[in-house]
């Protein structure tokens, strides 16, 4: 196992305990991350989506890590899912984005909110990698404020037809199925979540968004729905209760992004350590210069602080799942997932910035192993809840409901 | 930056044939992927231009490779130096043969890399080197087994 990841696994095993089958998942994650190294690097430099990501995850039976074993998954609790994503994060946020969307936003939402029939229909395929999932919440005019979504649905025959635009959708053009959120066209009802088959007539990939400043190996697309049909069996959760589905998915997703950012910091630390102990300037390794040591100290401290913040959020989420009716437990999981995502994404971005600095001029090239982290972690401060939304959530969790400034 | 790689492969050919070929610079030259302007300097040394492609970037390196410390029909060393496009590589590799038809080829290589290429970092370089070495040994195995058949 990679050394820093092994240290994480050993520490969690010692302090909390991991079962053999959980350790097996993490061994598989380590092998998959190693296998992705070359293709991730090549595709990143070519600025192309990396189709090897789902293939490698499939080969190592890692497409359904959080899916219950009875549906063909690995049955990982949130803490193990976090460790799995930590290791994958060393490969970069492109890998994390794919896995987080497919698993944390996609599979886990179906597992949490789906009927037994929906679970039987989607989860085994998602676990095998026969289905790839996306999450269609964001729109051109609705990001942090899902209340302003413009996508609508209306009854049609035995189901519903959906119309609208979805924007900045990760896995959007490679997904076979996606969770789509829409309001009723008439009647003023609440937001509803649907499970949409992307082969349905009326679903169109408008464009693959390749003009990003990073995250090149992850697919990001704009999608159009022009009367795309979903049957009445494809409502996820209850009609009009889509906000609950959306928010619970984002809670899972935030722990996922935080975990990936921990992996990024690990890779930054590894790369920086190697660079500053081999690069010689002014007659000595640059790591012997005190100002370079300042960067090393920052990355190491950020990593240590964020690792346990993410684990703590994951443990709290596991507690909440054991007692789903407990609102205080759920609120605590929500608060800690926001804190973990907020801190880990900011620390990963600054760690990547400092890693680029340690690499000097070469760090400014996307051929360097750290430039991608610098470019990619920027989006971790935006997607699945911006820094600002996280700050408002965290502040109101301290001050009380009357201070929910984002509502 | 230092890199270490090792591995083994099974070749369906006589041990003597494998040894003779692996210590024949003409044969070695034929197994180098993307080699141009190959010049056999003497029975143990060759020079060539090597095109190394990493993602979309192609570098041209001047390679000098020699065979040393041969112990027929068991082991030998392959030493190489390559320079170009702001990078310098020194590689020392050893192979050892056991058994015969199939012959097991155990090999190890230590590389020292400086300059631009070193900036890629050992994890990426090791990934690329493993992929490239795999291609080289697949070529060697195919050529030797075709000859032995």
């Amino acid at each position: 196992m990679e050394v820093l990841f092994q240290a994480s696994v050993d520490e969690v095993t010692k302090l909390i305990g991991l079962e053999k089958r959980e350790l097996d998942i993490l061994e598989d994650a380590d092998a998959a991350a190693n296998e992705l190294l070359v293709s991730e690097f090549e595709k990143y430099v070519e600025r192309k989506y990396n189709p090897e990501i789902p293939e490698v995850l499939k080969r190592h039976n890692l497409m359904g890590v959080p899916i219950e074993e009875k549906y063909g998954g690995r049955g990982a609790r949130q803490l193990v899912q976090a460790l799995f994503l930590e290791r994958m994060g060393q490969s970069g946020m492109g890998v994390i984005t794919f896995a987080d969307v497919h698993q944390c936003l996609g599979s886990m939402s179906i597992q949490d909110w789906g009927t037994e029939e929906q679970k039987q229909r989607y989860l085994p395929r998602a676990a095998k990698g026969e289905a790839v999932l996306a999450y269609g919440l964001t729109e051109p005019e609705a990001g942090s404020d899902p209340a302003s979504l413009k996508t609508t649905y209306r009854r049609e025959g035995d189901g519903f037809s959906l119309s609208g635009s979805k924007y900045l959708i990760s896995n959007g053009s490679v997904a076979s199925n996606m969770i789509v959120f829409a309001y009723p066209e008439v009647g003023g009802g609440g937001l509803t979540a649907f499970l949409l088959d992307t082969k349905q007539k009326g679903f169109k990939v408008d464009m693959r968004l390749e003009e990003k400043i990073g995250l090149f190996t992850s697919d990001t697309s704009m999608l159009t729905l022009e009367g795309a049909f979903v049957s009445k069996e494809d409502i996820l959760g209850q009609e009009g209760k889509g906000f609950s589905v959306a928010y619970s998915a984002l809670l899972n997703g935030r722990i996922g992004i935080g975990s990936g950012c921990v992996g990024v910091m690990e890779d930054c630390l590894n790369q920086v350590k190697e660079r500053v102990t081999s690069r010689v300037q002014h007659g000595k390794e640059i790591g012997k210069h005190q100002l370079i040591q300042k960067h090393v100290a920052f990355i190491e401290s950020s990593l240590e602080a964020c690792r346990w913040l993410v684990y703590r959020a994951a443990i709290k989420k596991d507690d909440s799942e054991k007692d789903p009716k407990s609102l205080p437990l759920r609120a605590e999981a929500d608060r800690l997932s926001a804190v973990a995502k907020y801190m880990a994404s900011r620390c990963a971005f600054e760690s990547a910035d400092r890693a680029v600095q340690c690499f000097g001029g070469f760090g400014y090239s996307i051929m360097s192993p750290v430039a991608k982290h610098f470019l990619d972690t920027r989006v971790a401060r935006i997607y699945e809840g911006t820094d600002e939304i996280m700050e408002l959530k965290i502040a109101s969790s301290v001050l009380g409901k009357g201070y929910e400034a984002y509502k | 930056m230092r890199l270490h790689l090792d591995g083994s492969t099974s070749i369906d050919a006589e041990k003597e044939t494998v040894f003779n070929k692996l210590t024949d610079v003409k044969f070695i030259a034929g197994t180098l992927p993307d080699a141009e302007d190959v010049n056999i300097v003497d029975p143990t040394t060759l020079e060539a231009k090597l095109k190394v492609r990493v993602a979309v970037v192609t570098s041209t390196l001047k390679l000098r490779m020699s065979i040393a410390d041969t112990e027929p029909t068991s082991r030998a060393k392959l030493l190489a130096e390559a320079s170009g496009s702001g990078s310098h590589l020194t590689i020392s590799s050893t192979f050892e043969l056991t058994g015969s038809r199939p012959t097991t080829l155990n090999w190890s290589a230590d590389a020292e890399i400086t300059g631009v290429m070193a900036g890629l970092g050992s994890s990426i370089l090791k990934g690329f080197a493993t992929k490239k070495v795999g291609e080289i040994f697949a070529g060697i195995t195919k050529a030797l087994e075709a000859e032995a058949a």
Side-chain angles (χ1 to χ4, degrees):
Chain A
M1 258 191 204
E2 189 283 322
V3 175
L4 290 177
F5 182 59
Q6 178 79 66
S8 293
V9 172
D10 288 348
E11 202 169 10
V12 171
T13 304
K14 192 176 162 193
L15 295 173
I16 297 158
L18 291 171
E19 294 172 17
K20 163 82 172 63
R21 65 176 186 86
E22 294 177 322
L23 290 167
D24 289 345
I25 295 170
L26 303 177
E27 290 280 358
D28 289 341
D30 189 60
N34 282 331
E35 205 172 317
L36 275 169
L37 262 177
V38 172
S39 68
E40 262 302 284
F41 175 78
E42 286 183 317
K43 290 295 173 190
Y44 200 90
V45 175
E46 291 167 16
R47 295 168 193 255
K48 296 282 181 206
Y49 166 69
N50 184 5
E52 274 293 296
I53 298 171
E55 294 308 315
V56 170
L57 293 178
K58 261 190 249 180
R59 273 202 287 282
H60 292 276
N61 192 17
L62 293 169
M63 284 290 276
V65 175
I67 295 175
E68 287 174 45
E69 285 168 309
K70 67 178 175 179
Y71 300 116
R74 306 285 294 263
R77 54 183 157 150
Q78 190 78 51
L79 177 62
V80 176
Q81 174 77 1
L83 284 162
F84 154 63
L85 291 174
E86 174 181 324
R87 180 63 182 95
M88 301 317 292
Q90 291 187 16
S91 311
M93 291 305 286
V95 178
I96 287 303
T97 303
F98 176 87
D100 183 73
V101 171
H102 175 70
Q103 301 187 358
C104 302
L105 301 184
S107 307
M108 288 169 83
S109 296
I110 297 171
Q111 192 155 268
D112 291 345
W113 294 95
T115 61
E116 187 54 36
E117 185 276 327
Q118 286 171 336
K119 290 179 193 179
Q120 294 286 356
R121 189 149 43 106
Y122 290 103
L123 295 180
R125 288 175 56 231
K128 281 186 202 150
E130 291 167 3
V132 170
L133 304 175
Y135 180 81
L137 182 66
T138 304
E139 295 183 0
E141 293 178 64
S144 296
D145 175 20
S148 57
L149 292 179
K150 299 272 190 286
T151 299
T152 58
Y153 69 92
R154 64 182 163 80
R155 290 193 181 275
E156 187 181 291
D158 204 20
F160 305 91
S161 83
L162 302 171
S163 295
S165 279
K166 294 291 173 183
Y167 184 51
L168 298 168
I169 304 302
S170 300
N171 299 349
S173 78
V174 297
S176 56
N177 302 86
M178 64 188 297
I179 298 170
V180 176
F181 295 86
Y183 281 107
E185 193 177 81
V186 290
L191 190 70
T192 299
F194 297 93
L195 288 159
L196 173 72
D197 184 334
T198 60
K199 288 189 192 72
Q200 277 292 336
K201 204 175 152 191
F203 174 88
K204 194 173 93 182
V205 177
D206 245 353
M207 63 173 89
R208 292 177 84 163
L209 303 167
E210 292 176 336
E211 313 78 19
K212 300 172 282 188
I213 62 170
L215 214 66
F216 304 125
T217 63
S218 166
D219 174 68
T220 314
S221 295
M222 170 130 82
L223 313 168
T224 297
L225 308 171
E226 291 172 336
F229 181 77
V230 290
S231 73
K232 65 179 184 348
E233 287 80 27
D234 286 323
I235 289 181
L236 185 61
Q238 290 174 36
E239 189 174 359
K241 302 283 184 191
F243 271 112
S244 301
V245 178
Y247 288 144
S248 84
L250 290 172
L251 194 164
N252 296 330
R254 283 169 191 153
I255 299 173
I257 297 302
S259 309
C261 287
V262 169
V264 165
M265 285 184 266
E266 287 174 345
D267 195 47
C268 286
L269 191 65
N270 279 334
Q271 301 297 347
V272 162
K273 186 179 171 188
E274 185 173 286
R275 179 73 173 180
V276 305
T277 54
S278 59
R279 172 86 167 165
V280 173
Q281 294 288 283
H282 301 290
K284 57 185 175 186
E285 293 100 315
I286 60 172
K288 289 183 176 166
H289 296 296
Q290 292 177 2
L291 292 177
I292 291 291
Q293 292 190 1
K294 195 172 150 75
H295 297 313
V296 176
F298 178 88
I299 300 170
E300 164 70 1
S301 309
S302 300
L303 169 61
E304 284 299 343
C306 292
R307 223 159 49 94
W308 278 97
L309 202 45
V310 168
Y311 300 160
R312 196 163 160 237
I315 291 164
K316 197 56 74 175
K317 179 70 187 357
D318 284 329
D319 289 346
S320 166
E321 279 174 13
K322 280 179 210 151
D323 187 3
K325 287 183 182 155
S326 167
L327 292 179
L329 269 181
R330 187 177 163 72
E332 191 60 357
D334 194 28
R335 180 182 74 84
L336 282 172
S337 73
V339 174
K341 192 263 184 187
Y342 174 68
M343 287 304 293
S345 59
R346 290 176 70 92
C347 286
F349 180 64
E350 182 156 357
S351 295
D353 184 33
R354 287 169 181 262
V356 167
Q357 202 66 20
C358 291
F359 268 69
F362 190 66
Y364 196 61
S365 162
I366 57 169
M367 296 287 283
S368 81
V370 291
K372 71 170 180 182
H373 293 319
F374 175 66
L375 297 172
D376 291 359
T377 50
R378 189 63 188 84
V379 78
R381 295 177 51 197
I382 299 171
Y383 63 10
E384 299 187 27
T386 60
D387 277 359
E388 291 76 12
I389 291 291
M390 294 301 97
E391 285 165 344
L392 298 182
K393 275 183 76 73
I394 295 162
S396 65
S397 75
V398 174
L399 300 172
K401 265 194 153 332
Y403 292 83
E404 287 180 335
Y406 52 90
K407 282 195 173 166
Chain B
M1 174 185 300
R2 290 191 171 86
L3 271 189
H4 175 83
L5 291 176
D6 54 42
S8 70
T9 187
S10 177
I11 302 171
D12 188 18
E14 302 292 342
K15 187 179 177 188
E16 194 175 350
T17 309
V18 175
F19 183 85
N20 289 339
K21 287 293 176 188
L22 288 179
T23 51
D24 174 356
V25 285
K26 280 185 196 161
F27 176 81
I28 295 289
T31 64
L32 292 174
D34 306 317
E36 292 176 356
D37 302 336
V38 179
N39 173 30
I40 309 295
V41 178
D42 61 44
T44 60
T45 310
L46 70 83
E47 290 177 343
K49 272 187 192 166
L50 213 56
K51 288 210 162 170
V52 180
R53 188 174 181 274
V54 176
V56 289
V57 181
T58 304
S59 307
T60 305
L61 302 176
K62 273 182 159 179
L63 169 77
R64 186 178 174 90
M65 189 181 224
S66 57
I67 297 161
D69 301 344
T70 52
E71 288 180 34
T73 54
S74 300
R75 61 176 66 87
K77 274 188 179 172
L78 291 175
L79 308 170
E81 270 202 65
S83 290
S85 305
S87 300
H88 185 84
L89 286 83
T90 309
I91 302 167
S92 173
S93 62
T94 307
F95 73 80
E96 192 172 312
L97 304 175
T98 55
S100 188
R101 195 145 209 172
T103 302
T104 302
L105 164 63
N106 296 301
W107 60 271
S108 69
D110 289 288
E112 177 139 18
I113 303 157
T114 55
V116 174
M117 208 176 271
L120 295 176
S122 63
S123 51
I124 297 287
L125 284 171
K126 197 164 184 174
F128 271 103
T130 304
K131 193 175 163 191
K132 197 52 84 180
V133 167
E135 285 170 21
I136 292 171
F137 277 112
I140 287 174
T141 305
K142 194 176 166 190
L144 281 168
E145 289 182 349
E147 196 146 315

